[in-house]
Amino acid sequence: MAAVTENQQNSPMRKSSDQLKEKVSHRNGGVPGDLGEQEDYGLSGVLEKEQSDILKSSRNVCELLEKIREETEALEKQVVNVCSSGPPKVAAALSAAVEVRYSLDELLQREQRISNRLQQHLQGTKQWMEDLGQTCNHVDFIERSMKYLKCLHHIEELSAAVQQSLMINSVWDAIKGVENMAALDCGLNQSQCSHLCDFLRKTLCFWHNIIKDRLTSDFEKVLAQLQWPIITPNQSVTTPANYQELSSQLEGLLLQLLALQTSDDLISQRVSASTQGAPPGSSSTLSPAAPSLCLPIQIMLQPLSKRFRYHFYGNRQTNSIHKPEWYLTQVLKWMENSATFMEEKIQPVFDRSGQTISAKVALCQGLVCLVQEKVASDASRMLYDDGLFCHLVEEVLQFEKDLRSHHSYPAMLPALLHILLDDAFLQKWLAVERKMAVEKMDAMLSAEGAWTSQYKDISDMDELKAPECAETFMTLLQVITERYRALPSPAAQLRFFGLQKELVDDFRIRLTQVMKEESRCPLGVRYCAILNAVNYISTILRDWGDNVFFLQLQQAAVSLGQQEVLGSLEMTEVGRLASLEGSLFDGLLSLLDRLKGDMLGRLLHFLMRDTAEKAQPYCQERWLSIPPPQDQSAMSLSSSACPMMLCVRDRLLNLHQVLSVSLFQLAWQGLAEKLDNFIYQEVILSNHFSDGGAAQLQFDMTRNLFPLFGHYCRRPENFFKHVKEACIILCLKVGSAILLKDLLKRSEQEATDFEDPSPESALNELGVFCLAPCDVLILLNLKALLPGI
C-alpha cells in the first residue's frame, strides 16, 4: 500500500493537479500553503474555492474547463511517451548482456577443451622431446669435436708449414706461419679448451723461438762484421770489403725481425701476465708503463747488457756503491757512441718498413732500463748512509739532465727520477735536504765574513748590499729548487717547496735572534747587515713569486689541496691563489716585512734620540733677540745648530754606506719625517720669533738642513712640509701677517663675506698647503712685534 500511495503521489495526474493548484493560487494573488498544514484537495476543491468568482461570469467557466482539459491531455501524452520509451531500451540492453554472457561461457568452455587437448598432446610428445634433445646434444658434441679436430689439424698444418719453410730456408713463409698461429691464438683467447690453447701456445713459442734464434744468430754475425757494439768514441771502424752485401743482409734481417714482432709481443704479454705477482722492487715493477722494445733493439742491447752486468755487478772493482757515476757515465757514453750507427744504419730501415720507432731513442730506453734496476738496488742499500744517498741523488739528477738535453730522450718516457719518488726514497731525500740545509745555515751564520758583502768593492753589483750569509742561504734554496724542479710529480715538488718554506722561516728566526743581540747599537755594521739580509730575502722571494715554475706549483697546490703548503688559509685566500693574485710566499713575506719594519723603527728611533740630544741647544736658542737680516753683514748657520747638522750629515753618510738603496731611501725619508715633526714641535711651536729669528730659522732650514737631504732627492723641502710652511708664515711682513690673521680670526668667528677669499685659498697663495688655518693662527701668534687683533 505504501508503494501504491507513493506511485500515486508521483503520478502525472498528481503533478497536473499540483500545477493546477499553483495556477489557481496565482490567479487569486495568494501563495499555496504548506502541504503539511493544508489538506490535499482535487479539482472539486479548486472549483469550490473559486466558486464565487466563477459564478460572476458564466463565460469564464467554459474557458477554464477547456483549458484544464487541454492541459490534462498534454500531461497524459507525456506520461504515455515516458512509459512507452523507457522499457524498450532497458530491455535491449539486458538482452545484449545476456547474449554476451552466453558467448563468454562458450569461449571458456572452448578454452578448457583446447587446454585439455594440449596437455594430452604434450604428454604424448614429452618422450619425443627427450629423445630429440639427446640427439641434438650428441650432434653438438660431434660438431664441437669436429671443430676441435679441425683446429688441431690446422695447428698441425701451420706447424708443418713452418717446419717445411725452415727446411727450405724460406724464413718469410715461416714468419707468416708463425703470425697465423699468433692470430689463431688471439682468436682462441676466450676459449675454454685449455688443452688446445696450451698446445697452440707451446707450438707457437717453439717455432717462434727457433726462428728468433736463427735470425738472432744471423743478425749478431752481421752486427759483428759491422763492428757493433761501438764501445769507445775512438773505436776504429773500417769499412769491410763486402759492405754492400752486409747492408743488404742487415736490412733483410731487420725487416724479418720486425715482422716477427707481433708473435714476440704476444709471448711477452703471456709471460708478463704470469709474473704479475712479482715482489715489489723486481725488474718488472721498476719502470712505469713504457712501450716494449722491438726485437732488433733487444738483440743489439745484449752485448751492452753483458758488459754492464760484468763490470757493475758482482765483485768487480768497478762495482762500487760509492761511485754510481761510473756506471751512469758509462751508459751515457754508450748512448753517445752508438748514436751515429743507429741513425745511419738502423733508422733508415725502420723508416722504409713504415715503423714509427726512433732507433736512437729505443736503444737509450733499453740502456735506461739497465740503469733503473741498478739504481733501485743501490738506493735501497744507501738508505742508512746520508752521504752515499746524497751523492746518488746528485748523480741521478745529473744523469737525468744529460739524458734529456744531450740525447733528446722524450719527456713521456720515464728515466731515473721516478725511482726517487718511491715513498721511502723520497722521505730519505727530504730528510737529507733538511739536515744538510740546517748544517749549512749554522756554518754560514758562524763564518767570519758572514755579515759582509761579497761585492762591497763593486758599487754596480752592490745595490742590495746583501751579507754573505744571506746570499749563501738564497743560493742554497735555489740549488734545492733546481734539484726538485725536474721531478715528474707536482705532489713531490710541493713537499720540497714546503721544506723550503720551513728553512726560510728558520733562517728568519735566526736573524731575529741575532738582531736582538745587536739592537743595543742599531747603527752598527752587523745590525744593518741583518736588515739588508731581511730585505734581500724578501726581494728574492717576491721575484720568485712571479716565476713561471712557482706559479705552476701554486696552481698545483690549489688543485691538489696541499695543506702542508696552503696551511690554514681561508677560502678567499685560496681563491686569490687560484686566480694568481697572491703567491705561495705571501705568509713568509708578511713575516719578513714585519721584521724589516720593526728593525727600521728601532733604527730611526735611535737616530732621532741621538739627533734630539744634539738639537737641544738649538731648541733653546733666543730667537727673539736675533737682529733682522739687514742689520747683519751676512747670514750664517746658527752655532747651536751645528751639532745637530753634523749629526744628521754623519748619520746619513753612514747609512748610505751600510744600507741597500731601497732601505736607505726608507731610512732617510723616515728620518726627514721625524726631523720635520721634531723641529716643528720643539723649535717652532716652543718659541717666539722676531723678524730676525724667523729669517735665521728659514736660513738654517733652507740653506743647511734641506741640502743635507738634497744629495738623495731633487726637492728635499717636500719632506719637511711643516717646517717649510711654518717658515713661510713666520717670515711674512707685518702687513701681510695682520691681514692674514684678521682673515683667519673672522673665518673662525663667523662666515666670511662673499667677496672675502677663503682661508684655504689665501694660504695656498702663500704656498701653505699642509698646515690648517688654526695651525697658521698659532704660528702668527708666535711672531713678535705683531699687534694683537
Side-chain angles (χ1 to χ4, degrees), residues 118-149:
L118 181 61
Q119 291 295 330
Q120 293 175 2
H121 180 73
L122 291 176
Q123 288 292 335
T125 58
K126 184 176 181 180
Q127 186 61 38
W128 295 355
M129 291 295 295
E130 293 177 357
D131 295 341
L132 182 61
Q134 293 179 359
T135 304
C136 290
N137 292 335
H138 185 62
V139 171
D140 183 59
F141 174 75
I142 293 175
E143 184 180 5
R144 287 188 285 108
S145 299
M146 290 296 295
K147 290 182 179 179
Y148 189 93
L149 292 175

Side-chain angles (χ1 to χ4, degrees), residues 219-237 296-308 311 330 333-342 345-346 363 367 370:
F219 190 54
E220 288 176 346
K221 291 179 182 178
V222 173
L223 289 175
Q225 294 182 39
L226 293 174
Q227 302 181 14
W228 176 264
I230 303 175
I231 305 301
T232 60
N234 299 325
Q235 180 176 338
S236 59
V237 180
I297 301 300
Q298 294 179 22
I299 298 171
M300 297 180 72
L301 279 170
Q302 288 179 2
L304 296 175
S305 177
K306 290 179 181 178
R307 287 177 176 272
F308 185 86
H311 289 289
Q330 183 63 65
K333 288 181 179 178
W334 286 346
M335 292 179 184
E336 184 177 357
N337 299 334
S338 305
T340 304
F341 184 89
M342 301 301 292
K345 293 183 173 56
I346 307 300
L363 182 69
L367 292 173
L370 294 175

Side-chain angles (χ1 to χ4, degrees), residues 9-279:
Q9 292 177 354
N10 296 329
S11 64
M13 292 301 294
R14 181 62 179 173
K15 293 180 180 180
S16 177
S17 177
D18 293 339
Q19 293 175 359
L20 182 59
K21 290 178 183 178
E22 292 177 0
K23 290 181 179 180
V24 173
S25 175
H26 178 68
R27 288 193 186 99
N28 294 333
V31 180
D34 188 358
L35 293 178
E37 296 178 358
Q38 298 180 3
E39 296 180 355
D40 190 13
Y41 51 89
L43 182 59
S44 60
V46 175
L47 294 175
E48 290 177 358
K49 185 177 180 181
E50 297 183 356
Q51 183 176 6
S52 61
D53 295 333
I54 297 173
L55 292 176
K56 292 179 181 179
S57 178
S58 60
R59 290 182 302 177
N60 292 338
V61 174
C62 294
E63 294 176 0
L64 181 60
L65 289 174
E66 185 65 24
K67 193 172 185 179
I68 291 173
R69 188 181 297 113
E70 291 176 357
E71 291 178 357
T72 303
E73 290 177 357
L75 292 173
E76 288 178 351
K77 288 180 181 180
Q78 291 180 3
V79 171
V80 171
N81 290 334
V82 171
C83 295
S84 61
S85 61
K89 293 182 179 179
V90 175
L94 290 175
S95 63
V98 171
E99 290 178 0
V100 171
R101 175 66 182 273
Y102 288 154
S103 299
L104 181 61
D105 291 340
E106 290 179 0
L107 289 175
L108 291 174
Q109 291 175 3
R110 286 184 62 191
E111 187 271 338
Q112 185 64 36
R113 290 195 299 271
I114 292 173
S115 178
N116 294 336
R117 291 174 61 188
L118 181 61
Q119 291 295 330
Q120 293 175 2
H121 180 73
L122 291 176
Q123 288 292 335
T125 58
K126 184 176 181 180
Q127 186 61 38
W128 295 355
M129 291 295 295
E130 293 177 357
D131 295 341
L132 182 61
Q134 293 179 359
T135 304
C136 290
N137 292 335
H138 185 62
V139 171
D140 183 59
F141 174 75
I142 293 175
E143 184 180 5
R144 287 188 285 108
S145 299
M146 290 296 295
K147 290 182 179 179
Y148 189 93
L149 292 175
K150 286 182 180 180
C151 185
L152 186 61
H153 180 65
H154 182 56
I155 295 172
E156 292 176 348
E157 286 181 345
L158 291 175
S159 177
V162 172
Q163 182 179 9
Q164 184 67 25
S165 299
L166 291 176
M167 291 177 64
I168 61 176
N169 291 326
S170 179
V171 180
W172 279 110
D173 292 337
I175 293 174
K176 186 175 181 181
V178 171
E179 287 182 349
N180 293 333
M181 284 189 192
L184 181 60
D185 183 70
C186 293
L188 295 177
N189 190 28
Q190 303 298 327
S191 175
Q192 296 181 357
C193 300
S194 58
H195 296 289
L196 179 64
C197 295
D198 185 59
F199 173 72
L200 173 60
R201 290 164 189 167
K202 289 181 178 180
T203 304
L204 173 63
C205 291
F206 175 76
W207 290 118
H208 171 82
N209 291 333
I210 289 178
I211 298 174
K212 181 179 177 181
D213 292 342
R214 177 180 293 187
L215 292 177
T216 300
S217 177
D218 296 341
F219 190 54
E220 288 176 346
K221 291 179 182 178
V222 173
L223 289 175
Q225 294 182 39
L226 293 174
Q227 302 181 14
W228 176 264
I230 303 175
I231 305 301
T232 60
N234 299 325
Q235 180 176 338
S236 59
V237 180
T238 58
T239 304
N242 57 343
Y243 178 76
Q244 295 295 334
E245 181 182 355
L246 289 176
S247 299
S248 177
Q249 293 179 6
L250 177 68
E251 181 174 357
L253 290 170
L254 280 172
L255 294 175
Q256 290 172 353
L257 287 170
L258 291 174
L260 197 63
Q261 189 67 45
T262 303
S263 58
D264 190 74
D265 290 340
L266 181 62
I267 294 173
S268 300
Q269 291 174 5
R270 301 292 184 190
V271 174
S272 61
S274 63
T275 59
Q276 282 183 352

Side-chain angles (χ1 to χ4, degrees), residues 321-340:
I321 195 173
H322 301 276
K323 299 292 183 179
E325 62 271 21
W326 285 353
Y327 61 83
L328 293 175
T329 304
Q330 183 63 65
V331 167
L332 290 175
K333 288 181 179 178
W334 286 346
M335 292 179 184
E336 184 177 357
N337 299 334
S338 305
T340 304

